[in-house]
Structure formats: structure tokens, C-alpha cells
Amino acid sequence: LEHLHLKHVVQLVSALESIVLRSFGPEGGQVLFTRDTGQVMLSRSGKRILSALHLEHPLARMVVECVWKHSTITGDGSKTFVLLLASLLRMIHASATKEPHMSQPYNSTETTEAACARHLADRLLDFAVTELDALIALNVLPHGFCVSLEDSTGKTEQSFQTLLLTFFNTRLGNVYCDFFRDLMCELLSHWKIKNDQPSFSIRFLNNNFPALHTQVSGFPVGSSRLIEGQVIHRDFATPCPQVNEQSVKAVVFSGYLQPKLLTAGDVLELGCGNRATEDSSIVHFSSWTGRSLESIIATLQSFGVSVLLCALKQSSAALALATQTGMCLVECVSEEEISLFAQLSGVTPISDCWRICPEDIATLTFCKPILLGAHR
């Protein structure tokens, strides 16, 4: 009781409320943060604002963690969570202060108020468990279920656009809401998957958005647009020849094309024997890796593969041989982009280059460089 009085809890949550309140609702403004490094963040997202705070009080950190979990599950409602929590705590505190149960044998007014507040909080929790869950399930969820699962036609399409408009209003203000609502509807119209419900497309886009989104500096927000195909945020490590075929075959590698003498964490032990024999062994190994690389590239050529997507940086010998055989090689592709490519193409990244089979080869509609801002 002496460490965490209800009054102090109300003050602490009210401080968080005052931070998110200025960006709440369609008329709310942006919140500007300046980090210790000098980096500036401008946002209206309650989750981003609360996550950017440097909080020392353990209760404040616990509240922010609860908000983060709620927002992760529902996708929205971070600011509403804090506002409702602050309002409920003020009401509990006011009721406990105004009408304490003086009939109970407590030693002080503070103890009495704390017991009354605990009683009110228990009643509130009981209401949430016994009545509020059923109220949400019966009167709220069916509307969201209808909006997210029905085809985007007629009234449902209008409801979905209204839902998106409200969502963007709380994050972007009134200037770009209509623009991003239309852009999002256009994106979803392209991602309708045959024989699957629209909710599957929404979940897929949400799970893979970091790999689908490309940030371009130096252009206004209104220049945002959709681009056909998947953008790999790396340039070609080898020249990209003009491909005249209607389709392109590609393979994804999670390891090295050329076997390495040592990998990270390995130790090379040299004995006290004949130095010439040891040098000869290393030379033989290097020669073997060169022949192995040539064999792998020859296998890829026999399958008609012309694009190699690699998670790791490849050796100069691998780049030279890929250039010589006219293969496009992209290295250091991010894990998120490889995961998205695997989901879209249905192939699995290859870890063992000696076990390439036709099932590991993806067929692309096109593969070409693209210039976005200053990045190729």
C-alpha cells in the first residue's frame, strides 16, 4: 500500500493518457519525438508513440506492455485502451474516496479506500468476464466478420471502405485518408486469391507487409503507387541480360554456391608434419571447390535456370562463373523477402547445392531491374 497507492496509479496512467490524447481522433495531431541519437520520429500511431517512451516506472512499463499485446491481437485500439483505462481508474478512485465502506474494520482511510477500490475493480473484472465478452461476441464481432469475409461488393464494399477510412484517419489525419483508402482497396482487389476467402488475403498481406513495402525517400506521399510483382531490395550482382522468353526460371539458395574451406566458427588445425603436404592438400581442396562450382552451374544450365536468389554473399569465383554463363545473381536477399518468394512461388530454398531437382525451380513471369528513387 505504501509503495503503490491508487492515487499514484491514477496519476501515472493519466500521464500516459495526456501523451496519446493529443493524437486521438480525426482532429488529433502528430506527436514528434527526438531520440538521443538525434533521429526524429513523427507518428499518430498509439502503439508507436507508447513504444518510443523511455519509462522507468514498472507499472507504466506494464501498462504499455498490455497495450502492445492488445494492439498485436486486434490491430488497433492502443489509444482507446489507455483512455478507457485512465477513465475507469478515475471513476474507481472517485467512488472509493466518496463512499468508502467505513463499516469494515480498517486502520486508516487510505486502507479503506484501497479495499473499496479493490472491490470495485473485482466487480469490473467480473463484468468483463461474464457479460462483456458475450456482448462483444453477439453484437460487435458479427459486423467485423461480415466486413472482412464477404466479397467487396455493394454494401459490404462501402462498409469496408468506411472501416479503412476510420483506420487511416486515426493515423494520418484528413489529408491522405481518401488516397490511402483507395490505394488499399486497389491492393486488395489484386490480391484476391481464387477459392479463398478475402480474410486470407488480408492476413497474408499483414504478415508479409515488411517485404511488400518499399520506402522511397525524396517523394511526396501522394506519389505512392502499386508495382506489379515482388520487389527484391537488392541490385543484381552480375549483369542482367535482356530476357526474351515469356517466362524466367529461378532458384533460391540459402547457402554458398561454392564450398568454403572454413565457415564462421570453424578452426583450421595445422599439424607438425610435412609443410609441402599440407599446402598440397589446401591446393587440392581449392581445386575441388572450383570443379564443384562448375558442376553446380552446369546443372542449373541444364534446367534452364537464369536467375539465382542467394541469402548469402557469394565468392568472386561464383560471380565470375555466373556472369560467364549469363545468369543473373542477386546476393544478400533478406530473410523476409526469401520467405515471401517461397510462399508465392511454392518452392523451398536450397541449402545443399548438390541436390537440385525440378521441384526447386520457380517459374517467373518476368525479372528486371527497377529504379525507385535513388535505389536500383
Side-chain angles (χ1 to χ4, degrees):
L1 174 64
E2 64 184 32
H3 290 98
L4 197 62
H5 190 270
L6 178 61
K7 178 175 64 176
H8 301 149
V9 176
V10 173
Q11 291 173 351
L12 192 146
V13 178
S14 296
L16 295 177
E17 178 193 33
S18 65
I19 295 174
V20 300
L21 188 60
R22 64 193 68 185
S23 62
F24 182 74
E27 302 301 327
Q30 304 270 3
V31 176
L32 177 66
F33 283 93
T34 304
R35 303 183 187 275
D36 297 336
T37 58
Q39 183 183 6
V40 176
M41 185 191 81
L42 193 65
S43 178
R44 293 190 65 196
S45 169
K47 184 177 179 180
R48 290 192 65 193
I49 291 172
L50 293 172
S51 300
L53 298 175
H54 295 289
L55 302 172
E56 297 181 358
H57 201 290
L59 179 63
R61 292 200 297 267
M62 185 195 73
V63 171
V64 171
E65 183 180 356
C66 290
V67 173
W68 189 87
K69 290 180 178 179
H70 167 79
S71 181
T72 301
I73 295 172
T74 63
D76 200 4
S78 299
K79 288 176 280 191
T80 306
F81 185 101
V82 175
L83 297 179
L84 286 176
L85 177 62
S87 178
L88 287 170
L89 287 173
R90 280 195 293 267
M91 293 174 64
I92 290 175
H93 181 252
S95 300
T97 305
K98 184 178 180 181
E99 299 177 3
H101 299 286
M102 298 303 296
S103 60
Q104 299 186 15
Y106 294 112
N107 298 327
S108 66
T109 304
E110 288 187 355
T111 309
T112 305
E113 291 178 2
C116 180
R118 179 59 182 268
H119 174 70
L120 292 172
D122 288 341
R123 288 182 59 187
L124 178 65
L125 182 61
D126 181 65
F127 167 75
V129 173
T130 60
E131 298 185 38
L132 190 59
D133 283 352
L135 182 68
I136 296 288
L138 292 176
N139 299 326
V140 177
L141 287 182
H143 298 286
F145 187 78
C146 173
V147 168
S148 61
L149 296 188
E150 292 288 338
D151 291 333
S152 298
T153 56
K155 293 183 178 180
T156 305
E157 181 179 4
Q158 184 177 0
S159 301
F160 188 70
Q161 291 182 358
T162 304
L163 181 67
L164 286 176
L165 192 63
T166 305
F167 180 81
F168 287 125
N169 247 317
T170 61
R171 286 158 173 77
L172 305 173
N174 297 323
V175 180
Y176 296 109
C177 286
D178 292 337
F179 174 78
F180 277 106
R181 176 201 60 191
D182 296 340
L183 194 66
M184 188 65 182
C185 288
E186 183 184 355
L187 175 63
L188 289 172
S189 68
H190 286 292
W191 278 90
K192 286 183 179 178
I193 301 175
K194 188 177 181 180
N195 300 327
D196 276 316
Q197 295 175 326
S199 60
F200 177 83
S201 302
I202 295 174
R203 287 196 301 270
F204 182 85
L205 291 173
N206 180 65
N207 294 336
N208 296 280
F209 190 76
L212 289 168
H213 176 231
T214 302
Q215 293 185 348
V216 181
S217 303
F219 289 87
V221 175
S223 299
S224 302
R225 58 190 174 92
L226 301 182
I227 297 176
E228 184 182 8
Q230 179 187 358
V231 177
I232 303 294
H233 300 92
R234 299 288 300 181
D235 198 1
F236 290 101
T238 60
C240 179
Q242 296 295 328
V243 181
N244 298 322
E245 293 93 342
Q246 293 183 348
S247 60
V248 181
K249 293 185 178 181
V251 174
V252 182
F253 291 99
S254 59
Y256 295 102
L257 290 173
Q258 184 179 22
K260 296 177 70 69
L261 176 61
L262 292 175
T263 58
D266 290 345
V267 177
L268 179 63
E269 295 184 1
L270 299 177
C272 300
N274 191 336
R275 178 64 181 272
T277 303
E278 294 171 354
D279 292 343
S280 176
S281 298
I282 295 177
V283 171
H284 285 313
F285 179 82
S286 299
S287 177
W288 174 80
T289 60
R291 292 194 302 270
S292 298
L293 178 62
E294 292 175 357
S295 176
I296 292 169
I297 295 297
T299 302
L300 293 172
Q301 281 186 301
S302 67
F303 286 125
V305 174
S306 58
V307 176
L308 309 179
L309 300 179
C310 305
L312 303 177
K313 186 173 180 62
Q314 302 300 318
S315 65
S316 56
L319 297 179
L321 194 54
T323 302
Q324 181 181 342
T325 55
M327 290 187 180
C328 305
L329 191 148
V330 184
E331 54 187 1
C332 301
V333 181
S334 70
E335 183 179 350
E336 292 81 7
E337 290 173 338
I338 287 182
S339 174
L340 175 60
F341 184 88
Q343 293 180 72
L344 295 176
S345 62
V347 300
T348 303
I350 299 172
S351 57
D352 187 354
C353 298
W354 290 99
R355 297 183 178 180
I356 303 173
C357 57
E359 291 75 18
D360 300 320
I361 300 173
T363 301
L364 313 181
T365 306
F366 62 87
C367 179
K368 60 184 179 181
I370 183 173
L371 189 66
L372 297 177
H375 299 283
R376 183 177 184 270

